[in-house]
Amino acid sequence: MMTSFQDSDPIIRDYLIKHSLPQIYKALLAGLCVSCPEDPLHFIEEKILLILEDQDFEICWHTFIDKDKQISSLAGGIVYDIFGNPEDSLCLSHLLEKAYSCYRTSLTKMCFRGWKSYISKKKMKAARLVERMEEAEMYHKQRRIKLAFIKWTAWVQFHKQRQNDALRKLQKVQDSVHCRNTITAWRRVVQDAKRAKEYFKRLERDIQENQNSEIPLGDGQDRLSLLPNKLSLKIFQSLGVRDLLKCAQVCHSWKAITQNSSLWTEIDFSPEASWITDQTVERILRVHRVYVICVNLCGCTLVQESSFGRISQCRNLQELDLSECPHLNDENMKMILEGCRSLLHLNLAFTHITNATIRVLSRCCLMLRSLSLAYCTRFSDKGLQYLITGKGCHRLTYLDLSGCSQISMDGFTYVAKACSSLQQIVLDDLPTLTDTCVQVLVSRCRVLTVISILDSPYLSDVAFKTIADVISLTKIQIQGNNRMTDSSLKALCRSSLTLSEVQISDCPRMTDASLKSLGSLTKLCNLNISGCIKVTDMGIHYISEGPSSVQLRELDLSYCPKLTDLSLKRITQKCSSLTHLSVCFCENLTDNGFECLNSCTSLNSLDITGCKIHDKGLAALGTNHSLRKLTATECVFITDNGIKMFCRQCHHLELLDVCQCVCLTDRAIKALSFFCRTIATVRIAGCPKMTDTAVKYLTRIGHLLKELDVSGCPLLTDRTPSFLLCSCLQLRSISMLYCKNISKQAALKLQRRVQHWKHSNDDAPYSLD
C-alpha cells in the first residue's frame, strides 16, 4: 500500500493526506476485522457518518473497535507492527522525508558509480588506443630503421670489399718491394761476407806461410816464434795495447801473431790514456773493426772526432766505454749510435752529452742493457722523456744516474715508465733525491735487485719502507744518511730475505737493533757498517751468531769506536769464511784483539788504519799465513822491529801499506824485501825517515813490484828513479809527490815506463808531515 501510495499521482496523494483517508481506511479495516459485524456495509456507513458529524474527530486504527473487544497486548503489538503505533503517526512525514532522502542518496550513488564506471572504461579504451597507436608508430619506425640498416649494411660490405681488394693489391706491392729490398740487402751482406772471408783467408795464409817458411837468420829465431800458433796467441793475449804495438815491431813472425783478430776483440785503451791518439785508434780499428766487440776509451783525453768516426764502423761492437772523454759531443754520439746498433753496454760518465744524445739512444739502441750517465749534467728531464717515446732503452737492466742532480721527480717518472725492466740502479751523490722520487721509481721498476744510494742525505724511512714494500733486493748500498733509522733496515731485511751485500755506512742513527735484523739474513756475504758510531759488541754478537756468519766474506767495521777486542774474538770464532776485514780507527781495539785474528785462516786482506796496534800485535798477525794484503796507515806505534817480526812469518804478502807510520826506517823495507818475495804493492807515503836505501832494497824484488808510493819522503833523491828504472821492469804506477830532492828531470825518465805517474816538488801538506 505504501509503495502504491508513493507511486500515485501527486494531486491524489495530497488529497488523501489532507482528508486522512489512509487513517480512516486503517480504522475501518481494523474495526471490521475485530468486530466482525453482521452487516459490514452498514458498519462502514455508520462510522463514516460519525466522522462527518465531528470534524475534529481523532482517528486511529483502533477508533472503531469496541473497548470490550480491545486487542490484548500481544495482539496489539502485532497490530501495531502491521498498522504502526498511533504515536508514530506524528513522525510519519519526517520518516517519509528521511526515507526519500536515503533513497535519493542511494540512487545518486548508483548513478555516480555508473557514471564513474563509464568514464573509467572510456579512459581505458582511450589509453589502449593511444598505446596501440604508439606501438604502431614504433613498429613503423623500426621497420624504416631496419630497411635503412639493410641498405647501409649492403653499402658497407660493398665498400669493405673494395677496400680489401685495394689493401690486397697494396700488400702485394709492399711484399714485392720488401722482397726486392731483402734480396738486395742479402746480396750486399753476402758480398761483404765474401770479402771478409777472403781477407781472413789471406791473413791466415800469410801467417801460415810465415810459420812454415824458412825464417832468415836474425828474424824469428826466438823461442816464442818457434812455439805453435795457439800457444803464442795465449801468451800475447795477456799483453796490453802498448805492448802489442811494440811486439809488432820486433820481427815479422811477431807482427803476424799480433795481427790475429782474436787479440783485438776487446781493446782497452784506458791504461794508455795519457798517450793514445786518434792515429793509433784509427790504425787499430781500421784493420780489426769487424771483430771488435769491446772498446774502452775511459779517460783518453786526446782522442777526437776521427776516432769516434772509426768506432762507428765497428758494426759488431757490443760494449763501449767513453767516460771522461772531453771531446765527445752529441754529433759524435749520433754517428756512433747510428753505426753500432748492437750495443749492449754503454758508459758516458763525465761527458758533455745533452738531450740530443738521449734522443738518439731512444731511437737506435734497441738492444741496450747497461747505460751509465753518471755526472752528465747537461741533459734534463726532457731528455729522459724521449726514452718513453722511442723504442730504444726499454730493455735496460742497469742504469747509473750518479751526480745528475738536475733530474727532478718528473725525470724519475719518465725513467720508471720507460725502463720498467731495470734490475740495478745507481743513484749516488744526489743531494736533491727525495722520498717521492724513490717512490715513483720503485712503483714501476718492480724487478730491481740492486740499489745504490750513496750520499743522499734527505731520504727518510718513508723511502726505504716503500722499497721494502715493493721489491726484493739482493744488494743495497746506503751512505751518509742522517735520517734513516733501525726501522728501515728491519723492513728491508724482512722483505729481502736474499740480501747478500749490504752497505750502511756513515748512518749515525743505526744501532745494534739494525745488526740484529741483519743477523737474521741467511745469504749475507758482504757487510759494511763503517761510520755507525752507535754499534757495540752486542751488534757484532748478533752478526756472528746469525745463520750467515759462516759465509760472510767481507766485513767493514771502520769508525765504530765502541767495538772492543771481544768483537774480534767473536768474528774469529764464527766467521770461518771471512777474507777481508777492515777495522780502521776503532780506538778500543788492542794487541790482544789482533792476536785473535791469527786463527782466522781464511783472512787474506786486513785494514787496521789508525788503530793502536803495537809491534806485539803486528807480530801476532804475521802468524796468519793466509794474509796477502795489510793496510796499516797511521799506525804510529809500529816500529821496524814489528815489521820485521811480521814479515818473517808472512812470506806470501802481496801488498803492504804503512803510509804515515812515522817510526819506520829503511830497516823495515829491508826486512820486507828479504822475507816477502812476492810483494807487488808498497806504499810508504809520509814516512819521513825513508831514504834511497829503502828503494834500493825494493829492487831485490823488482821483477814483481807493480805499484810504489813514496810521496812525502823528503830524504829521497834522484837515485830513487834511477834504481826503479833499472830494476823494476813490471812497475805500472809510481807516486812521488812532495819529494823535494827528486828533480823533475829524473822523475820524467820513469813516466814512459809506467801507466800512472805522479811527481811534485811542493811542500808536503800537514797530513803528511
Side-chain angles (χ1 to χ4, degrees):
M1 178 181 177
M2 185 63 67
T3 304
S4 60
F5 177 75
Q6 291 177 354
D7 294 336
S8 61
D9 190 281
I11 298 174
I12 297 174
R13 186 171 60 250
D14 293 340
Y15 174 80
L16 294 174
I17 293 172
K18 179 179 179 182
H19 296 284
S20 304
L21 292 181
Q23 288 83 354
I24 294 172
Y25 294 155
K26 287 181 185 180
L28 291 174
L29 182 59
L32 288 173
C33 292
V34 174
S35 300
C36 297
E38 294 178 1
D39 188 0
L41 293 176
H42 180 70
F43 179 78
I44 293 172
E45 183 179 358
E46 289 179 356
K47 299 300 181 186
I48 293 174
L49 292 175
L50 181 62
I51 295 170
L52 292 175
E53 291 175 357
D54 189 0
Q55 294 293 332
D56 296 327
F57 186 76
E58 184 179 355
I59 300 173
C60 293
W61 66 272
H62 55 83
T63 302
F64 299 127
I65 299 174
D66 296 335
K67 292 183 180 180
D68 55 347
K69 295 181 181 179
Q70 289 287 330
I71 303 171
S72 62
S73 59
L74 178 60
I78 295 171
V79 175
Y80 290 154
D81 291 336
I82 296 173
F83 298 105
N85 197 326
E87 297 176 357
D88 294 338
S89 59
L90 299 175
C91 301
L92 180 60
S93 63
H94 173 71
L95 292 174
L96 288 174
E97 291 178 2
K98 188 174 182 181
Y100 174 75
S101 177
C102 179
Y103 176 74
R104 183 179 180 181
T105 301
S106 176
L107 185 61
T108 303
K109 287 182 179 180
M110 182 181 66
C111 294
F112 178 76
R113 282 195 297 269
W115 173 81
K116 186 177 180 182
S117 175
Y118 169 76
I119 294 297
S120 177
K121 289 179 180 180
K122 188 176 180 179
K123 284 184 178 180
M124 289 177 62
K125 187 175 181 180
R128 193 178 299 112
L129 180 62
V130 171
E131 185 178 352
R132 289 181 179 178
M133 290 297 294
E134 290 178 354
E135 290 177 356
E137 186 178 357
M138 179 64 68
Y139 172 79
H140 181 66
K141 185 177 180 181
Q142 288 180 350
R143 183 176 178 82
R144 286 189 301 171
I145 292 173
K146 186 176 180 180
L147 292 174
F149 180 75
I150 291 173
K151 292 181 180 180
W152 177 79
T153 303
W155 181 85
V156 170
Q157 289 178 352
F158 172 73
H159 281 274
K160 277 189 176 181
Q161 185 64 33
R162 290 185 60 186
Q163 199 173 37
N164 291 335
D165 293 341
L167 184 63
R168 196 178 300 110
K169 292 179 181 179
L170 291 174
Q171 187 67 35
K172 188 175 180 180
V173 173
Q174 184 181 4
D175 292 343
S176 176
V177 173
H178 181 69
C179 183
R180 189 183 299 112
N181 293 337
T182 302
I183 294 174
T184 304
W186 175 76
R187 290 181 63 185
R188 291 176 183 173
V189 171
V190 169
Q191 291 174 358
D192 291 342
K194 285 183 177 179
R195 285 195 294 268
K197 188 175 181 180
E198 291 174 359
Y199 168 77
F200 291 118
K201 281 184 177 180
R202 186 168 60 253
L203 182 60
E204 291 177 359
R205 187 168 57 251
D206 293 341
I207 295 175
Q208 191 68 27
E209 289 175 359
N210 289 332
Q211 290 178 348
N212 297 331
S213 62
E214 185 178 353
I215 301 175
L217 186 63
D219 188 10
Q221 293 297 327
D222 58 283
R223 295 179 180 180
L224 183 60
S225 299
L226 299 176
L227 290 174
N229 190 33
K230 291 184 178 180
L231 293 179
S232 301
L233 288 175
K234 288 287 185 182
I235 295 173
F236 276 83
Q237 282 176 353
S238 62
L239 301 179
V241 174
R242 181 198 290 257
D243 295 332
L244 286 175
L245 294 177
K246 288 182 178 179
C247 290
Q249 300 174 359
V250 174
C251 61
H252 290 294
S253 62
W254 283 32
K255 182 177 181 180
I257 295 173
T258 58
Q259 288 180 346
N260 192 294
S261 58
S262 64
L263 298 176
W264 301 97
T265 56
E266 299 181 4
I267 307 175
D268 188 1
F269 292 108
S270 60
E272 322 297 338
S274 60
W275 64 271
I276 286 292
T277 61
D278 289 336
Q279 184 179 0
T280 305
V281 175
E282 285 189 73
R283 185 175 63 185
I284 294 174
L285 295 182
R286 184 175 62 250
V287 178
H288 305 287
R289 65 182 183 276
V290 178
Y291 292 99
V292 174
I293 61 174
C294 177
V295 174
N296 185 357
L297 286 170
C298 176
C300 296
T301 57
L302 301 179
V303 295
Q304 298 186 22
E305 185 174 358
S306 57
S307 296
F308 301 137
R310 187 63 66 179
I311 291 174
S312 67
Q313 299 175 4
C314 301
R315 304 299 181 184
N316 298 319
L317 190 64
Q318 297 180 5
E319 185 173 350
L320 178 61
D321 189 344
L322 298 176
S323 57
E324 301 181 43
C325 292
H327 299 290
L328 183 67
N329 55 38
D330 293 330
E331 292 297 325
N332 298 332
M333 280 307 305
K334 181 179 180 181
M335 179 171 53
I336 292 173
L337 295 176
E338 290 179 347
C340 305
R341 299 276 181 151
S342 301
L343 272 177
L344 297 177
H345 306 279
L346 180 61
N347 189 348
L348 300 177
F350 295 96
T351 58
H352 302 305
I353 63 162
T354 65
N355 294 336
T357 295
I358 301 181
R359 188 171 189 175
V360 179
L361 276 171
S362 66
R363 189 178 72 249
C364 299
C365 297
L366 305 181
M367 307 299 293
L368 197 64
R369 294 293 187 276
S370 172
L371 176 63
S372 176
L373 299 175
Y375 299 95
C376 297
T377 58
R378 296 192 178 184
F379 71 87
S380 63
D381 293 340
K382 185 178 180 180
L384 297 176
Q385 190 176 8
Y386 291 136
L387 297 178
I388 301 177
T389 57
K391 296 182 179 180
C393 299
H394 292 325
R395 298 184 180 181
L396 277 179
T397 59
Y398 174 88
L399 180 62
D400 188 352
L401 296 176
S402 301
C404 300
S405 56
Q406 75 276 14
I407 302 177
S408 67
M409 187 183 70
D410 293 337
F412 285 106
T413 303
Y414 301 144
V415 171
K417 290 181 179 179
C419 309
S420 58
S421 300
L422 277 177
Q423 297 179 9
Q424 303 180 39
I425 189 165
V426 182
L427 303 174
D428 299 341
D429 198 15
L430 288 177
T432 57
L433 190 66
T434 62
D435 294 339
T436 307
C437 297
V438 175
Q439 289 175 330
V440 167
L441 190 63
V442 301
S443 64
R444 290 181 176 267
C445 303
R446 293 178 175 268
V447 293
L448 279 172
T449 57
V450 177
I451 293 182
S452 179
I453 314 176
L454 306 183
D455 297 319
S456 296
Y458 294 107
L459 294 183
S460 66
D461 291 337
V462 176
F464 299 111
K465 288 181 180 179
T466 302
I467 293 174
D469 292 339
V470 177
I471 57 180
S472 179
L473 300 175
T474 59
K475 179 180 178 181
I476 185 168
Q477 293 180 322
I478 304 170
Q479 177 179 318
N481 191 303
N482 297 328
R483 304 176 66 184
M484 181 181 180
T485 63
D486 295 328
S487 61
S488 295
L489 202 57
K490 183 178 180 180
L492 288 170
C493 294
R494 185 172 57 250
S495 64
S496 303
L497 300 178
T498 58
L499 268 176
S500 59
E501 298 186 36
V502 178
Q503 177 182 345
I504 313 292
S505 56
D506 295 328
C507 298
R509 300 183 70 178
M510 295 292 103
T511 65
D512 294 337
S514 295
L515 296 190
K516 186 176 182 179
S517 301
L518 291 170
S520 63
L521 299 175
T522 58
K523 297 186 178 181
L524 187 63
C525 60
N526 189 343
L527 177 60
N528 184 347
I529 55 171
S530 59
C532 296
I533 57 177
K534 294 184 179 181
V535 172
T536 66
D537 293 334
M538 183 55 66
I540 303 302
H541 172 74
Y542 293 137
I543 296 296
S544 60
E545 295 296 331
S548 60
S549 60
V550 293
Q551 58 188 11
L552 193 64
R553 293 195 300 270
E554 296 184 15
L555 182 60
D556 192 342
L557 305 175
S558 303
Y559 298 95
C560 294
K562 295 185 178 181
L563 298 183
T564 65
D565 296 337
L566 182 60
S567 293
L568 292 183
K569 184 177 180 180
R570 286 173 175 161
I571 291 171
T572 303
Q573 292 174 347
K574 300 294 183 177
C575 303
S576 56
S577 301
L578 193 66
T579 59
H580 172 76
L581 176 62
S582 178
V583 289
C584 303
F585 297 98
C586 292
E587 302 171 353
N588 292 324
L589 298 182
T590 65
D591 291 341
N592 295 330
F594 291 116
E595 287 178 4
C596 297
L597 295 177
N598 59 10
S599 60
C600 189
T601 56
S602 61
L603 191 66
N604 58 40
S605 177
L606 179 62
D607 190 348
I608 55 174
T609 299
C611 291
K612 298 178 181 179
I613 188 173
H614 296 76
D615 292 340
K616 179 184 176 182
L618 190 60
L621 287 175
T623 59
N624 190 337
H625 300 296
S626 63
L627 202 60
R628 297 291 183 270
K629 300 177 182 179
L630 177 65
T631 302
T633 304
E634 296 186 43
C635 294
V636 295
F637 299 107
I638 294 177
T639 65
D640 296 337
N641 190 34
I643 295 293
K644 182 178 180 180
M645 289 187 292
F646 173 78
C647 294
R648 180 178 293 174
Q649 302 174 86
C650 194
H651 300 294
H652 302 289
L653 195 67
E654 298 174 2
L655 180 148
L656 179 64
D657 187 345
V658 288
C659 296
Q660 301 183 47
C661 295
V662 294
C663 296
L664 299 184
T665 66
D666 297 341
R667 291 176 54 201
I669 304 304
K670 181 179 179 180
L672 175 68
S673 61
F674 184 80
F675 294 109
C676 302
R677 311 297 293 182
T678 59
I679 195 75
T681 302
V682 179
R683 299 172 187 153
I684 54 175
C687 297
K689 297 181 180 180
M690 296 292 179
T691 66
D692 294 328
T693 304
V695 180
K696 186 175 181 180
Y697 287 141
L698 288 176
T699 57
R700 296 178 182 177
I701 51 173
H703 61 288
L704 293 178
L705 190 64
K706 295 182 179 180
E707 181 182 346
L708 179 63
D709 187 355
V710 293
S711 301
C713 297
L715 301 181
L716 299 183
T717 65
D718 289 346
R719 296 178 62 191
T720 290
S722 178
F723 291 147
L724 297 174
L725 194 62
C726 295
S727 303
C728 301
L729 302 179
Q730 298 294 325
L731 193 65
R732 290 292 178 265
S733 176
I734 178 68
S735 180
M736 298 177 289
L737 300 174
Y738 316 116
C739 295
K740 294 182 179 180
N741 295 323
I742 298 179
S743 64
K744 189 76 171 180
Q745 183 178 1
L748 287 173
K749 293 179 181 180
L750 278 174
Q751 187 176 15
R752 296 181 179 179
R753 290 278 302 275
V754 298
Q755 297 175 358
H756 303 283
W757 175 89
K758 294 180 181 179
H759 171 262
S760 70
N761 298 114
D762 301 332
D763 293 332
Y766 176 78
S767 59
L768 293 178
D769 287 345

